[in-house]
Amino acid sequence: QVQLVESGGGLVQAGGSLRLSCAASGNIFSISAMGWYRQAPGKQRELVAFIRSGGNPNYDDSVKGRFAISRDNAKNTVLLQMNSLKPEDTAVYYCNARIASTSLVVYDYWGQGTQVTVSS
């Protein structure tokens, strides 16, 4: 069993900051990529940022220069620092990780989602 547990969402005024955290636990052999997606009401889930093991981070154009993704491979965690937040960043944010279990089965896992609300 593998689990992703997120924390850090909340309500913030426009221009403010939030930091999301996601920790993977369970029968993990390796994690090749970790990232964040978001889904606003009435919209499809979209990729926000991701980072591969030992690789450079990648961002959607809408968050470049405002968000920063980082990971701690020793702790199997990924962080998303969100600065200069805008009302259009309001969404449920989901952690995603491509994980090989100890039985070497690779699967994309998802967190439960955390609400981020940015007021104008």
Side-chain angles (χ1 to χ4, degrees), residues 30-93:
S30 66
I31 303 177
S32 57
M34 301 187 83
W36 292 91
Y37 288 71
R38 66 186 179 187
Q39 187 166 19
K43 295 189 177 181
Q44 289 189 331
R45 191 173 296 189
E46 63 179 9
L47 177 64
V48 176
F50 73 93
I51 182 168
R52 294 188 179 92
S53 177
N56 293 325
N58 293 268
Y59 300 96
D60 182 78
D61 287 345
S62 65
V63 305
K64 280 182 182 176
R66 301 187 298 121
F67 290 12
I69 189 171
S70 61
R71 62 185 283 181
D72 184 332
N73 292 326
K75 295 182 180 179
N76 291 334
T77 59
V78 62
L79 302 177
L80 185 68
Q81 178 66 43
M82 305 185 293
N83 300 323
S84 302
L85 283 161
K86 304 175 181 180
E88 51 263 44
D89 294 319
T90 295
V92 177
Y93 284 69

Short mmCIF file of all heavy atoms in Angstrom, two decimals, residues 30-93:
data_model
loop_
_atom_site.label_atom_id
_atom_site.label_comp_id
_atom_site.label_asym_id
_atom_site.label_seq_id
_atom_site.Cartn_x
_atom_site.Cartn_y
_atom_site.Cartn_z
N SER A 30 10.86 3.22 -5.31
CA SER A 30 11.43 4.45 -5.86
C SER A 30 10.30 5.36 -6.34
O SER A 30 9.21 4.89 -6.64
CB SER A 30 12.39 4.15 -7.01
OG SER A 30 11.70 3.59 -8.10
N ILE A 31 10.62 6.64 -6.42
CA ILE A 31 9.67 7.63 -6.94
C ILE A 31 10.35 8.36 -8.09
O ILE A 31 11.37 9.03 -7.88
CB ILE A 31 9.25 8.63 -5.85
CG1 ILE A 31 8.65 7.90 -4.66
CG2 ILE A 31 8.25 9.62 -6.41
CD1 ILE A 31 8.27 8.81 -3.50
N SER A 32 9.81 8.24 -9.28
CA SER A 32 10.45 8.85 -10.42
C SER A 32 10.04 10.31 -10.61
O SER A 32 10.85 11.14 -11.00
CB SER A 32 10.15 8.08 -11.70
OG SER A 32 8.76 7.98 -11.90
N ALA A 33 8.81 10.64 -10.31
CA ALA A 33 8.36 12.01 -10.50
C ALA A 33 7.29 12.34 -9.45
O ALA A 33 6.52 11.47 -9.05
CB ALA A 33 7.78 12.21 -11.89
N MET A 34 7.29 13.58 -9.03
CA MET A 34 6.27 14.07 -8.11
C MET A 34 5.79 15.41 -8.63
O MET A 34 6.57 16.18 -9.21
CB MET A 34 6.81 14.22 -6.68
CG MET A 34 7.35 12.94 -6.09
SD MET A 34 7.81 13.10 -4.35
CE MET A 34 6.22 12.87 -3.56
N GLY A 35 4.51 15.67 -8.42
CA GLY A 35 3.99 16.93 -8.94
C GLY A 35 2.68 17.33 -8.30
O GLY A 35 2.16 16.65 -7.42
N TRP A 36 2.19 18.45 -8.78
CA TRP A 36 0.93 19.01 -8.29
C TRP A 36 0.02 19.32 -9.47
O TRP A 36 0.46 19.88 -10.48
CB TRP A 36 1.18 20.28 -7.49
CG TRP A 36 1.88 20.04 -6.19
CD1 TRP A 36 3.23 20.06 -5.98
CD2 TRP A 36 1.28 19.72 -4.94
NE1 TRP A 36 3.50 19.77 -4.66
CE2 TRP A 36 2.32 19.57 -4.00
CE3 TRP A 36 -0.04 19.56 -4.51
CZ2 TRP A 36 2.08 19.26 -2.66
CZ3 TRP A 36 -0.27 19.26 -3.18
CH2 TRP A 36 0.78 19.11 -2.27
N TYR A 37 -1.24 18.96 -9.31
CA TYR A 37 -2.30 19.30 -10.24
C TYR A 37 -3.33 20.12 -9.48
O TYR A 37 -3.35 20.14 -8.25
CB TYR A 37 -2.96 18.04 -10.80
CG TYR A 37 -2.14 17.25 -11.78
CD1 TYR A 37 -1.01 16.54 -11.36
CD2 TYR A 37 -2.48 17.20 -13.13
CE1 TYR A 37 -0.26 15.81 -12.27
CE2 TYR A 37 -1.73 16.48 -14.03
CZ TYR A 37 -0.63 15.78 -13.60
OH TYR A 37 0.12 15.06 -14.50
N ARG A 38 -4.20 20.77 -10.23
CA ARG A 38 -5.31 21.47 -9.58
C ARG A 38 -6.56 21.37 -10.43
O ARG A 38 -6.49 21.21 -11.64
CB ARG A 38 -4.96 22.94 -9.32
CG ARG A 38 -4.77 23.79 -10.56
CD ARG A 38 -4.27 25.18 -10.18
NE ARG A 38 -4.06 26.03 -11.36
CZ ARG A 38 -3.50 27.23 -11.31
NH1 ARG A 38 -3.09 27.73 -10.15
NH2 ARG A 38 -3.35 27.92 -12.41
N GLN A 39 -7.68 21.48 -9.75
CA GLN A 39 -8.97 21.43 -10.44
C GLN A 39 -9.89 22.47 -9.84
O GLN A 39 -10.24 22.39 -8.64
CB GLN A 39 -9.59 20.04 -10.33
CG GLN A 39 -10.83 19.87 -11.17
CD GLN A 39 -11.24 18.42 -11.31
OE1 GLN A 39 -10.84 17.56 -10.53
NE2 GLN A 39 -12.05 18.13 -12.32
N ALA A 40 -10.26 23.44 -10.65
CA ALA A 40 -11.21 24.46 -10.25
C ALA A 40 -12.62 23.99 -10.58
O ALA A 40 -12.80 23.13 -11.45
CB ALA A 40 -10.89 25.76 -10.98
N PRO A 41 -13.63 24.54 -9.92
CA PRO A 41 -15.01 24.12 -10.17
C PRO A 41 -15.37 24.27 -11.64
O PRO A 41 -15.12 25.32 -12.25
CB PRO A 41 -15.83 25.07 -9.30
CG PRO A 41 -14.91 25.46 -8.20
CD PRO A 41 -13.55 25.53 -8.82
N GLY A 42 -15.92 23.22 -12.21
CA GLY A 42 -16.36 23.26 -13.60
C GLY A 42 -15.25 23.14 -14.62
O GLY A 42 -15.50 23.26 -15.83
N LYS A 43 -14.03 22.90 -14.16
CA LYS A 43 -12.89 22.81 -15.08
C LYS A 43 -12.21 21.45 -14.94
O LYS A 43 -12.37 20.76 -13.96
CB LYS A 43 -11.89 23.93 -14.81
CG LYS A 43 -12.43 25.32 -15.10
CD LYS A 43 -11.34 26.37 -15.02
CE LYS A 43 -11.85 27.74 -15.38
NZ LYS A 43 -10.78 28.76 -15.33
N GLN A 44 -11.41 21.13 -15.95
CA GLN A 44 -10.66 19.89 -15.91
C GLN A 44 -9.44 20.04 -15.00
O GLN A 44 -8.93 21.14 -14.79
CB GLN A 44 -10.21 19.50 -17.32
CG GLN A 44 -11.33 19.03 -18.22
CD GLN A 44 -10.82 18.46 -19.53
OE1 GLN A 44 -9.77 18.85 -20.02
NE2 GLN A 44 -11.56 17.53 -20.09
N ARG A 45 -8.99 18.90 -14.50
CA ARG A 45 -7.77 18.91 -13.70
C ARG A 45 -6.59 19.27 -14.60
O ARG A 45 -6.48 18.78 -15.73
CB ARG A 45 -7.54 17.54 -13.06
CG ARG A 45 -6.46 17.51 -12.02
CD ARG A 45 -6.41 16.16 -11.31
NE ARG A 45 -7.64 15.90 -10.57
CZ ARG A 45 -7.78 14.87 -9.73
NH1 ARG A 45 -6.76 14.03 -9.52
NH2 ARG A 45 -8.92 14.68 -9.11
N GLU A 46 -5.71 20.16 -14.12
CA GLU A 46 -4.59 20.61 -14.92
C GLU A 46 -3.29 20.50 -14.14
O GLU A 46 -3.27 20.61 -12.92
CB GLU A 46 -4.79 22.06 -15.37
CG GLU A 46 -4.87 23.07 -14.24
CD GLU A 46 -5.04 24.50 -14.73
OE1 GLU A 46 -5.27 24.71 -15.93
OE2 GLU A 46 -4.93 25.41 -13.89
N LEU A 47 -2.22 20.28 -14.88
CA LEU A 47 -0.90 20.18 -14.27
C LEU A 47 -0.41 21.56 -13.86
O LEU A 47 -0.47 22.51 -14.64
CB LEU A 47 0.09 19.56 -15.26
CG LEU A 47 1.54 19.44 -14.80
CD1 LEU A 47 1.67 18.51 -13.62
CD2 LEU A 47 2.41 18.98 -15.96
N VAL A 48 0.08 21.66 -12.64
CA VAL A 48 0.64 22.92 -12.14
C VAL A 48 2.17 22.89 -12.23
O VAL A 48 2.80 23.79 -12.78
CB VAL A 48 0.21 23.17 -10.69
CG1 VAL A 48 0.88 24.43 -10.14
CG2 VAL A 48 -1.30 23.27 -10.58
N ALA A 49 2.75 21.84 -11.67
CA ALA A 49 4.21 21.73 -11.66
C ALA A 49 4.60 20.29 -11.36
O ALA A 49 3.85 19.57 -10.70
CB ALA A 49 4.82 22.66 -10.61
N PHE A 50 5.77 19.88 -11.86
CA PHE A 50 6.28 18.56 -11.51
C PHE A 50 7.79 18.59 -11.51
O PHE A 50 8.42 19.49 -12.09
CB PHE A 50 5.75 17.46 -12.43
CG PHE A 50 6.33 17.45 -13.81
CD1 PHE A 50 7.43 16.67 -14.12
CD2 PHE A 50 5.78 18.24 -14.83
CE1 PHE A 50 7.97 16.66 -15.40
CE2 PHE A 50 6.31 18.22 -16.10
CZ PHE A 50 7.40 17.44 -16.39
N ILE A 51 8.35 17.60 -10.85
CA ILE A 51 9.80 17.50 -10.76
C ILE A 51 10.18 16.03 -10.74
O ILE A 51 9.61 15.23 -10.00
CB ILE A 51 10.32 18.25 -9.51
CG1 ILE A 51 11.85 18.21 -9.45
CG2 ILE A 51 9.70 17.72 -8.22
CD1 ILE A 51 12.41 19.19 -8.41
N ARG A 52 11.13 15.67 -11.61
CA ARG A 52 11.61 14.29 -11.65
C ARG A 52 12.76 14.13 -10.67
O ARG A 52 13.38 15.11 -10.25
CB ARG A 52 12.06 13.93 -13.06
CG ARG A 52 10.94 13.91 -14.08
CD ARG A 52 11.42 13.35 -15.42
NE ARG A 52 10.33 13.30 -16.39
CZ ARG A 52 10.06 14.27 -17.24
NH1 ARG A 52 10.79 15.36 -17.24
NH2 ARG A 52 9.06 14.14 -18.09
N SER A 53 13.02 12.90 -10.32
CA SER A 53 14.12 12.62 -9.42
C SER A 53 15.42 13.11 -10.04
O SER A 53 15.81 12.67 -11.12
CB SER A 53 14.20 11.12 -9.14
OG SER A 53 15.30 10.83 -8.32
N GLY A 54 16.08 14.04 -9.39
CA GLY A 54 17.34 14.58 -9.90
C GLY A 54 17.20 15.50 -11.08
O GLY A 54 18.20 15.91 -11.69
N GLY A 55 15.96 15.87 -11.43
CA GLY A 55 15.75 16.72 -12.60
C GLY A 55 15.31 18.12 -12.23
O GLY A 55 15.14 18.46 -11.07
N ASN A 56 15.18 18.94 -13.27
CA ASN A 56 14.74 20.31 -13.07
C ASN A 56 13.23 20.37 -12.94
O ASN A 56 12.51 19.56 -13.51
CB ASN A 56 15.19 21.17 -14.25
CG ASN A 56 16.70 21.31 -14.32
OD1 ASN A 56 17.37 21.36 -13.30
ND2 ASN A 56 17.23 21.36 -15.53
N PRO A 57 12.74 21.35 -12.23
CA PRO A 57 11.29 21.51 -12.11
C PRO A 57 10.68 22.02 -13.41
O PRO A 57 11.34 22.69 -14.21
CB PRO A 57 11.14 22.54 -10.98
CG PRO A 57 12.42 23.29 -10.97
CD PRO A 57 13.47 22.34 -11.39
N ASN A 58 9.41 21.70 -13.60
CA ASN A 58 8.65 22.17 -14.75
C ASN A 58 7.36 22.80 -14.26
O ASN A 58 6.73 22.28 -13.33
CB ASN A 58 8.32 21.01 -15.69
CG ASN A 58 9.55 20.41 -16.34
OD1 ASN A 58 9.95 20.80 -17.42
ND2 ASN A 58 10.18 19.47 -15.66
N TYR A 59 6.98 23.91 -14.90
CA TYR A 59 5.81 24.66 -14.45
C TYR A 59 4.87 24.96 -15.61
O TYR A 59 5.30 25.19 -16.74
CB TYR A 59 6.23 25.99 -13.83
CG TYR A 59 7.14 25.86 -12.64
CD1 TYR A 59 8.52 25.96 -12.79
CD2 TYR A 59 6.62 25.63 -11.37
CE1 TYR A 59 9.36 25.82 -11.69
CE2 TYR A 59 7.45 25.51 -10.27
CZ TYR A 59 8.82 25.60 -10.44
OH TYR A 59 9.65 25.46 -9.35
N ASP A 60 3.59 25.03 -15.27
CA ASP A 60 2.64 25.58 -16.22
C ASP A 60 2.93 27.07 -16.35
O ASP A 60 3.35 27.73 -15.39
CB ASP A 60 1.21 25.35 -15.73
CG ASP A 60 0.19 25.87 -16.71
OD1 ASP A 60 -0.05 25.18 -17.70
OD2 ASP A 60 -0.35 26.97 -16.48
N ASP A 61 2.69 27.61 -17.54
CA ASP A 61 2.99 29.03 -17.76
C ASP A 61 2.25 29.94 -16.79
O ASP A 61 2.75 31.02 -16.44
CB ASP A 61 2.63 29.41 -19.20
CG ASP A 61 3.61 28.85 -20.22
OD1 ASP A 61 4.71 28.42 -19.82
OD2 ASP A 61 3.27 28.84 -21.41
N SER A 62 1.08 29.53 -16.36
CA SER A 62 0.27 30.40 -15.50
C SER A 62 0.88 30.61 -14.10
O SER A 62 0.48 31.54 -13.40
CB SER A 62 -1.14 29.83 -15.36
OG SER A 62 -1.11 28.59 -14.67
N VAL A 63 1.83 29.76 -13.72
CA VAL A 63 2.40 29.87 -12.36
C VAL A 63 3.89 30.16 -12.38
O VAL A 63 4.49 30.32 -11.31
CB VAL A 63 2.11 28.60 -11.53
CG1 VAL A 63 0.62 28.30 -11.51
CG2 VAL A 63 2.91 27.41 -12.03
N LYS A 64 4.49 30.19 -13.55
CA LYS A 64 5.93 30.46 -13.63
C LYS A 64 6.27 31.80 -12.98
O LYS A 64 5.59 32.80 -13.19
CB LYS A 64 6.38 30.48 -15.09
CG LYS A 64 6.61 29.11 -15.68
CD LYS A 64 7.09 29.21 -17.12
CE LYS A 64 7.28 27.83 -17.72
NZ LYS A 64 7.66 27.90 -19.15
N GLY A 65 7.31 31.77 -12.16
CA GLY A 65 7.75 32.97 -11.48
C GLY A 65 7.03 33.23 -10.16
O GLY A 65 7.44 34.10 -9.39
N ARG A 66 5.96 32.47 -9.91
CA ARG A 66 5.19 32.66 -8.67
C ARG A 66 5.25 31.43 -7.78
O ARG A 66 5.26 31.54 -6.55
CB ARG A 66 3.73 32.99 -8.97
CG ARG A 66 3.55 34.24 -9.80
CD ARG A 66 2.06 34.62 -9.92
NE ARG A 66 1.27 33.59 -10.60
CZ ARG A 66 0.23 32.98 -10.06
NH1 ARG A 66 -0.15 33.26 -8.82
NH2 ARG A 66 -0.45 32.08 -10.76
N PHE A 67 5.26 30.26 -8.39
CA PHE A 67 5.26 28.99 -7.64
C PHE A 67 6.63 28.34 -7.75
O PHE A 67 7.33 28.49 -8.76
CB PHE A 67 4.23 28.02 -8.20
CG PHE A 67 2.80 28.41 -7.96
CD1 PHE A 67 2.44 29.66 -7.49
CD2 PHE A 67 1.78 27.50 -8.23
CE1 PHE A 67 1.11 30.01 -7.27
CE2 PHE A 67 0.45 27.82 -8.02
CZ PHE A 67 0.11 29.08 -7.54
N ALA A 68 7.00 27.59 -6.71
CA ALA A 68 8.25 26.84 -6.73
C ALA A 68 8.01 25.45 -6.15
O ALA A 68 7.48 25.33 -5.04
CB ALA A 68 9.32 27.57 -5.94
N ILE A 69 8.40 24.45 -6.92
CA ILE A 69 8.26 23.07 -6.47
C ILE A 69 9.62 22.53 -6.06
O ILE A 69 10.64 22.85 -6.69
CB ILE A 69 7.62 22.19 -7.57
CG1 ILE A 69 7.27 20.80 -7.03
CG2 ILE A 69 8.54 22.09 -8.79
CD1 ILE A 69 6.44 19.96 -8.00
N SER A 70 9.63 21.76 -5.00
CA SER A 70 10.87 21.13 -4.55
C SER A 70 10.53 19.78 -3.93
O SER A 70 9.38 19.53 -3.57
CB SER A 70 11.59 22.02 -3.53
OG SER A 70 10.77 22.23 -2.39
N ARG A 71 11.52 18.92 -3.86
CA ARG A 71 11.29 17.61 -3.26
C ARG A 71 12.46 17.20 -2.39
O ARG A 71 13.60 17.61 -2.62
CB ARG A 71 10.99 16.55 -4.32
CG ARG A 71 12.08 16.29 -5.31
CD ARG A 71 11.66 15.31 -6.40
NE ARG A 71 11.64 13.94 -5.95
CZ ARG A 71 11.31 12.90 -6.73
NH1 ARG A 71 10.97 13.11 -7.99
NH2 ARG A 71 11.33 11.68 -6.25
N ASP A 72 12.13 16.40 -1.39
CA ASP A 72 13.14 15.83 -0.51
C ASP A 72 13.09 14.33 -0.74
O ASP A 72 12.18 13.64 -0.26
CB ASP A 72 12.82 16.19 0.95
CG ASP A 72 13.89 15.69 1.91
OD1 ASP A 72 14.55 14.68 1.62
OD2 ASP A 72 14.05 16.32 2.98
N ASN A 73 14.05 13.82 -1.49
CA ASN A 73 14.01 12.41 -1.86
C ASN A 73 14.17 11.50 -0.65
O ASN A 73 13.60 10.41 -0.61
CB ASN A 73 15.12 12.11 -2.88
CG ASN A 73 14.86 12.78 -4.21
OD1 ASN A 73 13.72 12.93 -4.63
ND2 ASN A 73 15.91 13.20 -4.87
N ALA A 74 14.92 11.95 0.35
CA ALA A 74 15.13 11.12 1.54
C ALA A 74 13.83 10.95 2.33
O ALA A 74 13.62 9.92 2.97
CB ALA A 74 16.20 11.74 2.42
N LYS A 75 12.98 11.97 2.26
CA LYS A 75 11.73 11.94 3.03
C LYS A 75 10.51 11.63 2.16
O LYS A 75 9.39 11.61 2.65
CB LYS A 75 11.52 13.27 3.74
CG LYS A 75 12.57 13.58 4.80
CD LYS A 75 12.28 14.90 5.49
CE LYS A 75 13.32 15.20 6.56
NZ LYS A 75 13.05 16.50 7.23
N ASN A 76 10.74 11.44 0.86
CA ASN A 76 9.63 11.16 -0.08
C ASN A 76 8.55 12.24 0.00
O ASN A 76 7.35 11.95 0.03
CB ASN A 76 9.01 9.78 0.19
CG ASN A 76 9.94 8.65 -0.17
OD1 ASN A 76 10.82 8.80 -1.03
ND2 ASN A 76 9.77 7.52 0.47
N THR A 77 8.99 13.48 0.04
CA THR A 77 8.05 14.60 0.10
C THR A 77 8.25 15.56 -1.05
O THR A 77 9.35 15.64 -1.62
CB THR A 77 8.19 15.37 1.42
OG1 THR A 77 9.54 15.87 1.52
CG2 THR A 77 7.89 14.51 2.62
N VAL A 78 7.18 16.25 -1.38
CA VAL A 78 7.24 17.30 -2.39
C VAL A 78 6.51 18.52 -1.82
O VAL A 78 5.48 18.39 -1.17
CB VAL A 78 6.63 16.84 -3.73
CG1 VAL A 78 5.16 16.49 -3.59
CG2 VAL A 78 6.84 17.89 -4.81
N LEU A 79 7.09 19.68 -2.05
CA LEU A 79 6.52 20.94 -1.57
C LEU A 79 6.15 21.82 -2.75
O LEU A 79 6.79 21.77 -3.80
CB LEU A 79 7.53 21.67 -0.68
CG LEU A 79 8.05 20.94 0.56
CD1 LEU A 79 9.08 21.80 1.26
CD2 LEU A 79 6.92 20.58 1.48
N LEU A 80 5.13 22.63 -2.55
CA LEU A 80 4.78 23.64 -3.55
C LEU A 80 4.64 24.97 -2.82
O LEU A 80 3.69 25.17 -2.07
CB LEU A 80 3.49 23.29 -4.28
CG LEU A 80 3.11 24.24 -5.41
CD1 LEU A 80 4.11 24.11 -6.57
CD2 LEU A 80 1.69 23.97 -5.92
N GLN A 81 5.60 25.84 -3.02
CA GLN A 81 5.55 27.18 -2.45
C GLN A 81 4.82 28.07 -3.43
O GLN A 81 5.25 28.21 -4.58
CB GLN A 81 6.95 27.71 -2.18
CG GLN A 81 6.99 29.12 -1.63
CD GLN A 81 6.38 29.22 -0.24
OE1 GLN A 81 6.63 28.37 0.62
NE2 GLN A 81 5.58 30.26 -0.01
N MET A 82 3.72 28.66 -3.00
CA MET A 82 2.89 29.47 -3.88
C MET A 82 2.92 30.91 -3.39
O MET A 82 2.47 31.20 -2.27
CB MET A 82 1.46 28.94 -3.90
CG MET A 82 1.37 27.46 -4.30
SD MET A 82 -0.33 26.89 -4.45
CE MET A 82 -0.88 27.00 -2.75
N ASN A 83 3.47 31.79 -4.19
CA ASN A 83 3.56 33.21 -3.85
C ASN A 83 2.73 34.03 -4.83
O ASN A 83 2.36 33.55 -5.90
CB ASN A 83 5.01 33.67 -3.91
CG ASN A 83 5.90 32.92 -2.92
OD1 ASN A 83 5.49 32.59 -1.81
ND2 ASN A 83 7.13 32.64 -3.33
N SER A 84 2.47 35.26 -4.46
CA SER A 84 1.71 36.18 -5.32
C SER A 84 0.44 35.52 -5.83
O SER A 84 0.14 35.56 -7.03
CB SER A 84 2.59 36.65 -6.50
OG SER A 84 3.75 37.27 -6.03
N LEU A 85 -0.28 34.92 -4.93
CA LEU A 85 -1.47 34.17 -5.32
C LEU A 85 -2.54 35.08 -5.90
O LEU A 85 -2.70 36.24 -5.47
CB LEU A 85 -2.02 33.39 -4.13
CG LEU A 85 -1.23 32.11 -3.81
CD1 LEU A 85 -1.50 31.64 -2.39
CD2 LEU A 85 -1.58 31.01 -4.81
N LYS A 86 -3.27 34.53 -6.87
CA LYS A 86 -4.35 35.25 -7.54
C LYS A 86 -5.66 34.50 -7.33
O LYS A 86 -5.66 33.29 -7.12
CB LYS A 86 -4.05 35.33 -9.04
CG LYS A 86 -2.71 35.95 -9.39
CD LYS A 86 -2.46 35.88 -10.89
CE LYS A 86 -1.12 36.48 -11.26
NZ LYS A 86 -0.87 36.40 -12.73
N PRO A 87 -6.78 35.20 -7.46
CA PRO A 87 -8.07 34.51 -7.32
C PRO A 87 -8.21 33.33 -8.29
O PRO A 87 -8.84 32.32 -7.93
CB PRO A 87 -9.08 35.61 -7.61
CG PRO A 87 -8.40 36.87 -7.18
CD PRO A 87 -6.95 36.66 -7.53
N GLU A 88 -7.62 33.44 -9.45
CA GLU A 88 -7.72 32.33 -10.43
C GLU A 88 -6.89 31.12 -10.04
O GLU A 88 -6.97 30.08 -10.70
CB GLU A 88 -7.32 32.81 -11.83
CG GLU A 88 -6.00 33.53 -11.90
CD GLU A 88 -6.17 35.06 -11.87
OE1 GLU A 88 -6.98 35.55 -11.05
OE2 GLU A 88 -5.47 35.73 -12.66
N ASP A 89 -6.11 31.21 -8.97
CA ASP A 89 -5.40 30.04 -8.45
C ASP A 89 -6.30 29.20 -7.55
O ASP A 89 -5.90 28.11 -7.13
CB ASP A 89 -4.16 30.47 -7.65
CG ASP A 89 -3.11 31.12 -8.51
OD1 ASP A 89 -2.85 30.65 -9.63
OD2 ASP A 89 -2.52 32.14 -8.06
N THR A 90 -7.49 29.69 -7.27
CA THR A 90 -8.43 28.96 -6.42
C THR A 90 -8.79 27.63 -7.05
O THR A 90 -9.23 27.57 -8.20
CB THR A 90 -9.69 29.78 -6.18
OG1 THR A 90 -9.35 30.96 -5.44
CG2 THR A 90 -10.73 28.98 -5.40
N ALA A 91 -8.60 26.56 -6.31
CA ALA A 91 -8.84 25.21 -6.82
C ALA A 91 -8.56 24.20 -5.71
O ALA A 91 -8.01 24.55 -4.66
CB ALA A 91 -7.94 24.92 -8.02
N VAL A 92 -8.92 22.97 -5.99
CA VAL A 92 -8.45 21.87 -5.16
C VAL A 92 -7.12 21.39 -5.76
O VAL A 92 -7.05 21.12 -6.97
CB VAL A 92 -9.45 20.70 -5.12
CG1 VAL A 92 -8.88 19.55 -4.30
CG2 VAL A 92 -10.78 21.17 -4.53
N TYR A 93 -6.11 21.33 -4.95
CA TYR A 93 -4.78 20.95 -5.40
C TYR A 93 -4.50 19.50 -5.02
O TYR A 93 -4.72 19.11 -3.86
CB TYR A 93 -3.72 21.87 -4.80
CG TYR A 93 -3.68 23.22 -5.47
CD1 TYR A 93 -4.73 24.13 -5.33
CD2 TYR A 93 -2.60 23.59 -6.28
CE1 TYR A 93 -4.70 25.36 -5.97
CE2 TYR A 93 -2.55 24.81 -6.91
CZ TYR A 93 -3.61 25.70 -6.75
OH TYR A 93 -3.58 26.92 -7.38
#
